[in-house]
Amino acid sequence: MSSLSPIQIPSRLPLLLTHEGVLLPGSTMRTSVDSARNLQLVRSRLLKGTSLQSTILGVIPNTPDPASDAQDLPPLHRIGTAALAVQVVGSNWPKPHYTLLITGLCRFQIVQVIKEKPYPVAKVEQLDWLEEFPNTCKTREELGELSEQFYKYAVQLVEMLDMSVPAVAKLRRLLDSLPREALPDILTSIIRTSNKEKLQILDAVSLEERFKMTIPLLVRQIEGLKLLQKTRKHKQDDDKRVIAIRPIRRITHIPGTLEDEDEDEDNDDIVMLEKKIRTSSMPDQAHKVCVKEIKRRTYVGSMPGRIINGLKTVGVNNPVFLLDEVDKLGKSLQGDPAAALLEVLDPEQNHNFTDHYLNVAFDLSQVLFIATANTTATIPPALLDRMEIIQVPGYTQEEKIEIAHRHLIPKQLEQHGLTPQQIQIPQVTTLDIITRYTREAGVRSLDRKLGAICRAVAVKVAEGQHREARLDRPDVAEGEGYREHIVEDTKPESINDTTDLALPPEMPILIDFHALKDILGPPMYEMEVSERLSQPGVAIGLAWTPLGGEIMFVEASRMDGEGQLTLTGQLGDVMKESAHLAISWLRSNAKKYHLTNASGSFDLLENTDIHLHFPAGAVTKDGPSAGVTIATCLASLFSGRLVCSDVAMTGEITLRGLVLPVGGIKDKVLAAHRAGLKRVIIPQRNEKDLEEIPGNVRQDLTFVTATCLDEVLNAAFDGGFTVSTRPGLLNSKL
């Protein structure tokens, strides 16, 4: 052991509660502070402290800080990391918040929470010690084979990286200079690991256990790098081969090669064929047809059709063809592609398919055709009849988040020359982009928004590199050495210095909601459910669109008139019929539910006009699924009662009040879940479709299955919708 005394942390530490990341000893992390207790900790302890001890705090992972200090303190994680606050950057726009740069010192265990307000303070027990261990042969022997095995994998991992990068070269030097005891924590914080894995390493108090848990993480990272390097090597070799072939063809063309000989033979064949036609003494009409056919088959740009040309490219007779977006086929003067596809896709005749260029029959019965479309409404019925339809629902929010963090974000980082050390996009930020900036079944718009964020960050990174280049002078050449020893040399005065608040953001740049507003602008979509249902005559329906499910508001109003029903909102014929069915059913059941018009008559249309409106009038709406929503909306209008603000519904109705099944249940339920609704009314015959809905969505929602409109109305209103309801009674939600 060293003769130097170990660094000992105070026995009492203020606690910083975090839930976004895990700080390990020896690593550095940037964390955002905007909750009540954490803000008090920064203002009272860090910004007003006058000693080095005042900059030491306890970081508790996996524990969110309540938004208000009036709320009770949540259960605290048992193991934490004592940390030194290296930098504090604050801002008052749009609300007070701070960003802390903290460096982990050692582990500690909470013994007792002494106080909870204005910020939590706990009595702690230090679990490991931050010492200066000599790098001697004796120390290596004491560490044993486990340490040597870990060191071997660590060196292998670092040497697989680009050593020309200064940070990589510095990391390689640190492997030899740092004590082996510190390496598991440091490398775990550097390699790609989840917060759960980092939390397990933090909880591993035993050094032997720490080594055993970290070695598999290193091996996993090494295998991933090997696969990545292998893939890149093949891609580079292919690119080089393509580049080498193109100059040979374009520049170093040698006359008399095999390619020239083939072209000469083709020209000779054409000349000989034309000569034979001229000397054949065929009739004039036949001669014209022959000459026309030769020109058709030899003019520049002539080639077989796309199907035959594709078969020629792959060289097999049983490939898979992808026909993308067949719902966007259109007729033109060149022909009707839908009619041409009939012959290709029809299993009764595609075994004898004839291409108009070759005029030779070809068997397409072994080819598998996969077509994609956003909607089947625009596909010709005859063509649709030849297809097996597979409905692919849109992604859930959870699926979009995983796709973004596994595929889209790494792709955008690579395209914009960024690294995870330069930009961090938390999952909560991704959720904000999905719910407030995009509205789609897929992830195409999400990918574009992530690209816009990466471009904005790339500009900031380039500006920062330019600024560092200007400041790169001989008198600051020792700056790197200073940053290595910043833990020991940090002065308390630097934390109180107000100039630190104006420092530019350091890497990584954290993308939060405020950054989203600056980069992407104000949110494009906002949830407005409760505001829209603040008066009678409004109900929420569920609709299916090619972009996924959507909630749909139905509004109704009445005025003095001649019994006319006005429908607005670009409705199709089916929805117009649903509206007439709903008003007819209500008129026939007005006495049962004591529904009257303004004059007290049970004839709801007597001297009364009704106006039904479906907002977002620029969007055409049609389909058999709005009947129950229209009936509920009109029942609310004539009863003067509010529809429950957390209820959405879908289903078609009959004149007798039966509820019929509809399609697109999964997409519609996901739309209700996105909007924050709690109950969904569906036809009873659609109950089987609930099996397709993810389990976490089913847990958040209550489903009501209905066979008739009576059951729908009872579920849509607080306290039910029974015959005892009196006209003119308004049940306030307050």
Side-chain angles (χ1 to χ4, degrees):
M1 302 297 289
S2 172
S3 60
L4 297 175
S5 61
I7 297 178
Q8 186 172 358
I9 64 174
S11 60
R12 296 184 177 185
L13 286 179
L15 302 182
L16 180 72
L17 309 183
T18 64
H19 67 282
E20 295 179 352
V22 179
L23 178 68
L24 294 173
S27 65
T28 300
M29 182 179 76
R30 193 177 298 275
T31 182
S32 179
V33 173
D34 57 4
S35 56
R37 287 186 175 90
N38 286 345
L39 284 174
Q40 285 293 336
L41 170 60
V42 174
R43 291 166 178 164
S44 303
R45 178 89 175 188
L46 298 183
L47 296 181
K48 294 183 179 180
T50 58
S51 65
L52 178 62
Q53 184 174 344
S54 65
T55 65
I56 299 177
L57 46 86
V59 180
I60 304 298
N62 200 30
T63 307
D65 184 22
S68 171
D69 55 0
Q71 297 175 288
D72 293 334
L73 200 66
L76 304 180
H77 193 74
R78 183 177 60 92
I79 305 296
T81 305
L84 183 72
V86 179
Q87 186 186 62
V88 181
V89 179
S91 173
N92 289 323
W93 184 89
K95 66 176 183 177
H97 67 278
Y98 294 92
T99 300
L100 304 184
L101 181 64
I102 51 180
T103 298
L105 300 177
C106 62
R107 290 173 176 80
F108 68 86
Q109 180 177 349
I110 297 178
V111 178
Q112 179 185 2
V113 177
I114 300 174
K115 68 173 186 176
E116 297 186 5
K117 295 181 180 180
Y119 53 85
V121 177
K123 183 179 180 181
V124 300
E125 176 186 1
Q126 188 167 348
L127 297 178
D128 48 21
W129 305 91
L130 191 66
E131 298 184 80
E132 290 291 337
F133 289 95
N135 194 13
T136 63
C137 296
K138 181 180 179 181
T139 306
R140 293 189 179 186
E141 292 175 0
E142 293 175 354
L143 293 176
E145 296 181 358
L146 198 60
S147 172
E148 291 298 327
Q149 184 184 10
F150 177 89
Y151 175 77
K152 180 188 68 174
Y153 283 122
V155 172
Q156 180 183 356
L157 174 62
V158 174
E159 290 182 349
M160 292 178 68
L161 305 176
D162 187 0
M163 297 298 294
S164 63
V165 178
V168 177
K170 180 180 177 181
L171 179 59
R172 179 63 184 89
R173 294 193 299 268
L174 289 177
L175 291 180
D176 294 329
S177 61
L178 288 176
R180 300 284 176 84
E181 292 85 351
L183 292 181
D185 290 331
I186 294 176
L187 285 177
T188 301
S189 64
I190 293 176
I191 65 178
R192 178 171 294 180
T193 52
S194 64
N195 285 341
K196 182 179 179 181
E197 292 170 337
K198 291 178 181 177
L199 199 61
Q200 293 173 349
I201 299 298
L202 178 66
D203 293 340
V205 179
S206 168
L207 181 59
E208 180 182 0
E209 182 183 1
R210 212 176 303 157
F211 275 123
K212 290 181 179 180
M213 295 178 64
T214 314
I215 288 176
L217 301 180
L218 292 179
V219 174
R220 183 183 68 187
Q221 191 76 7
I222 291 172
E223 295 299 325
L225 283 176
K226 287 181 180 179
L227 181 61
L228 182 62
Q229 290 176 354
K230 182 179 179 181
T231 304
R232 287 181 175 176
K233 183 176 183 300
H234 288 324
K235 186 175 185 297
Q236 291 173 355
D237 292 342
D238 293 341
D239 292 342
K240 291 179 181 178
R241 186 157 49 248
V242 171
I243 293 173
I245 291 174
R246 286 175 177 171
I248 291 176
R249 288 183 174 178
R250 296 181 179 179
I251 302 174
T252 60
H253 182 72
I254 303 174
T257 59
L258 182 62
E259 187 175 328
D260 284 337
E261 293 175 0
D262 291 341
E263 292 179 357
D264 292 341
E265 290 178 1
D266 292 340
N267 292 333
D268 291 342
D269 290 341
I270 295 173
V271 172
M272 291 179 60
L273 182 59
E274 290 178 345
K275 184 177 180 181
K276 288 181 179 180
I277 292 175
R278 286 196 301 268
T279 59
S280 62
S281 301
M282 64 178 62
D284 291 342
Q285 189 64 28
H287 183 271
K288 291 180 181 179
V289 173
C290 288
V291 173
K292 182 179 180 181
E293 192 67 16
I294 289 179
K295 291 181 179 180
R296 186 181 71 85
R297 292 173 182 254
T298 58
Y299 74 94
V300 176
S302 67
M303 62 179 65
R306 297 295 297 272
I307 301 295
I308 298 299
N309 202 42
L311 293 170
K312 177 184 176 183
T313 301
V314 298
V316 294
N317 67 344
N318 60 344
V320 176
F321 273 82
L322 176 63
L323 309 176
D324 194 23
E325 296 186 343
V326 294
D327 56 324
K328 297 177 177 59
L329 295 175
K331 298 181 180 180
S332 66
L333 295 176
Q334 284 73 30
D336 183 5
L341 284 177
L342 282 176
E343 183 182 357
V344 173
L345 300 180
D346 192 348
E348 298 298 327
Q349 54 180 325
N350 64 1
H351 63 280
N352 194 27
F353 172 73
T354 301
D355 180 85
H356 289 291
Y357 176 82
L358 297 179
N359 279 338
V360 176
F362 190 88
D363 185 6
L364 295 179
S365 60
Q366 303 300 315
V367 179
L368 175 62
F369 292 94
I370 300 177
T372 65
N374 290 326
T375 176
T376 58
T378 57
I379 301 177
L383 182 60
L384 189 64
D385 184 55
R386 268 75 173 179
M387 300 179 181
E388 296 288 340
I389 301 176
I390 302 176
Q391 297 286 351
V392 181
Y395 296 122
T396 64
Q397 289 184 3
E398 291 76 12
E399 290 170 342
K400 290 183 180 181
I401 292 175
E402 288 298 320
I403 292 172
H405 284 267
R406 292 187 187 184
H407 305 287
L408 301 184
I409 293 178
K411 181 190 74 172
Q412 291 293 345
L413 293 185
E414 181 180 2
Q415 290 180 353
H416 292 85
L418 298 173
T419 65
Q421 288 72 33
Q422 295 171 322
I423 176 176
Q424 288 184 1
I425 305 179
Q427 290 195 355
V428 64
T429 302
T430 308
L431 181 61
D432 278 338
I433 301 174
I434 293 171
T435 57
R436 309 182 74 176
Y437 289 91
T438 64
R439 185 167 288 181
E440 57 180 348
V443 293
R444 187 173 297 171
S445 295
L446 175 61
D447 191 25
R448 286 197 293 265
K449 300 298 182 183
L450 292 172
I453 293 172
C454 289
R455 285 190 292 274
V457 173
V459 172
K460 293 294 183 183
V461 172
E463 291 175 349
Q465 292 174 348
H466 178 66
R467 184 161 50 247
E468 290 178 2
R470 290 189 302 167
L471 296 176
D472 190 11
R473 302 191 307 269
D475 58 336
V476 293
E478 300 298 326
E480 182 178 356
Y482 167 75
R483 291 182 67 84
E484 293 180 10
H485 302 286
I486 193 167
V487 173
E488 293 79 9
D489 297 337
T490 300
K491 302 277 179 81
E493 290 77 13
S494 65
I495 294 187
N496 289 328
D497 192 355
T498 57
T499 59
D500 286 346
L501 300 179
L503 291 175
E506 295 189 6
M507 302 302 159
I509 296 177
L510 180 66
I511 305 299
D512 56 9
F513 179 68
H514 310 303
L516 285 184
K517 292 184 66 177
D518 291 337
I519 298 173
L520 302 180
M524 299 174 61
Y525 306 103
E526 294 287 354
M527 296 304 174
E528 50 181 357
V529 174
S530 58
E531 293 83 356
R532 298 287 289 270
L533 293 176
S534 60
Q535 56 184 345
V538 184
I540 302 176
L542 297 172
W544 181 91
T545 71
L547 299 179
E550 293 287 348
I551 64 171
M552 176 180 61
F553 292 94
V554 180
E555 301 175 347
S557 64
R558 60 182 178 180
M559 65 287 295
D560 294 338
E562 301 177 354
Q564 294 183 354
L565 175 63
T566 303
L567 303 172
T568 56
Q570 282 216 52
L571 306 184
D573 293 336
V574 177
M575 291 190 72
K576 291 179 180 179
E577 292 177 358
S578 298
H580 287 285
L581 282 172
I583 190 63
S584 296
W585 184 86
L586 284 175
R587 293 178 68 187
S588 63
N589 290 271
K591 292 183 179 180
K592 175 182 177 181
Y593 289 107
H594 295 283
L595 302 178
T596 62
N597 58 15
S599 60
S601 171
F602 288 121
D603 187 356
L604 302 182
L605 291 181
E606 183 181 356
N607 300 322
T608 302
D609 286 348
I610 299 176
H611 187 171
L612 269 175
H613 178 61
F614 294 73
V619 180
T620 303
K621 311 168 190 70
D622 200 10
S625 64
V628 295
T629 312
I630 299 173
T632 304
C633 173
L634 292 172
S636 171
L637 175 69
F638 287 108
S639 67
R641 298 180 59 189
L642 296 176
V643 179
C644 295
S645 61
D646 62 348
V647 174
M649 61 197 73
T650 183
E652 191 50 278
I653 60 174
T654 68
L655 192 59
R656 298 295 181 182
L658 299 178
V659 178
L660 302 179
V662 293
I665 292 295
K666 179 181 178 181
D667 287 324
K668 294 176 180 178
V669 170
L670 293 178
H673 185 258
R674 284 196 303 268
L677 302 175
K678 299 301 180 183
R679 284 190 294 165
V680 179
I681 303 174
I682 63 173
Q684 188 179 44
R685 290 165 62 183
N686 283 119
E687 189 174 6
K688 62 182 184 301
D689 298 321
L690 297 180
E691 298 177 359
E692 303 176 0
I693 300 171
N696 63 313
V697 176
R698 289 202 302 267
Q699 292 177 359
D700 294 340
L701 296 174
T702 301
F703 295 95
V704 178
T705 58
T707 58
C708 61
L709 274 175
D710 297 330
E711 298 174 356
V712 173
L713 296 178
N714 281 329
F717 293 88
D718 281 335
F721 197 80
T722 61
V723 293
S724 61
T725 303
R726 299 195 176 189
L729 181 62
L730 175 61
N731 293 339
S732 173
K733 305 294 284 187
L734 302 177

